[in-house]
Amino acid sequence: DGLDVDSLQNLVIKHFHGNTSVRRKLEILPIETYSSCMIFADEAFESDTLHADSHSLATLLLIRDIQSTRTGTTPRISITSTDMKAAGLARSITDLSHGERCPIICEVLDPHTQKTISNNRHLSLTSDFCQTNKLIAQVLAMVAEDRTVNLLFDELLGNAGCNM
């Protein structure tokens, strides 16, 4: 089982292997051509969440630096931190009008890392972050509170998918 890559339409998945926290490994990739990017925590470090998060954040910062170097631009922020807090947003909206940067989603495992990201303006503006362990814990808590919620999650997140 798993994902059948041949059945994908309008999507191309390219898998490169190497240590992503080493700049020379990332520089061989055509990063400036990407329309989006996802950084997942390395399962080799899953028992040490801070190490996994450090590796993911190093990768994120290297990718953003390579993008800036290749395009000759620096990231521009369209709204201020005060505006974000007033609007209730987790991070700012960056200027993507000239294809300067592609959106990146970075997986974070440890809540301490998430707190550090929240308190660091520069880091919080580089990407969207998904704290997967917290998300899983919240889903489990919902099911523990009310088992009928599990039917909903099975429908939405199950192998068969959601059909309407």
Side-chain angles (χ1 to χ4, degrees):
D1 271 359
L3 178 65
D4 180 15
V5 179
D6 295 328
S7 68
L8 296 176
Q9 296 178 354
N10 300 323
L11 178 69
V12 177
I13 294 179
K14 295 182 180 180
H15 181 252
F16 296 94
H17 183 71
N19 185 347
T20 57
S21 62
V22 176
R23 186 181 187 95
R24 72 177 183 281
K25 296 288 186 183
L26 289 173
E27 285 182 332
I28 62 172
L29 302 175
I31 292 171
E32 67 279 359
T33 65
Y34 294 169
S35 61
S36 61
C37 183
M38 296 178 75
I39 301 171
F40 293 103
D42 191 339
E43 66 181 11
F45 306 124
E46 71 183 347
S47 62
D48 184 0
T49 56
L50 284 175
H51 189 179
D53 289 348
S54 297
H55 189 87
S56 297
L57 292 175
T59 301
L60 168 66
L61 294 173
L62 283 171
I63 288 173
R64 286 299 189 208
D65 187 56
I66 291 169
Q67 286 175 326
S68 294
T69 302
R70 290 184 183 174
T71 60
T73 60
T74 55
R76 289 183 291 176
I77 302 164
S78 58
I79 59 177
T80 67
S81 178
T82 307
D83 294 335
M84 289 187 322
K85 288 179 183 171
L89 299 174
R91 69 176 203 94
S92 77
I93 301 167
T94 54
D95 184 358
L96 300 172
S97 60
H98 300 292
E100 295 160 347
R101 296 169 23 128
C102 71
I104 296 177
I105 298 175
C106 186
E107 179 182 30
V108 174
L109 301 177
D110 194 282
H112 294 98
T113 305
Q114 185 67 43
K115 191 177 287 186
T116 301
I117 292 166
S118 305
N119 293 332
N120 185 317
R121 184 172 182 265
H122 174 72
L123 192 56
S124 66
L125 298 177
T126 58
S127 173
D128 285 318
F129 295 89
C130 180
Q131 188 178 349
T132 53
N133 287 346
K134 181 179 178 183
L135 183 64
I136 292 167
Q138 288 173 331
V139 168
L140 288 174
M142 288 175 71
V143 172
E145 183 75 25
D146 182 2
R147 293 204 185 273
T148 59
V149 173
N150 197 35
L151 295 171
L152 176 66
F153 286 130
D154 281 343
E155 180 65 26
L156 294 173
L157 306 173
N159 291 337
C162 180
N163 295 319
M164 295 202 177

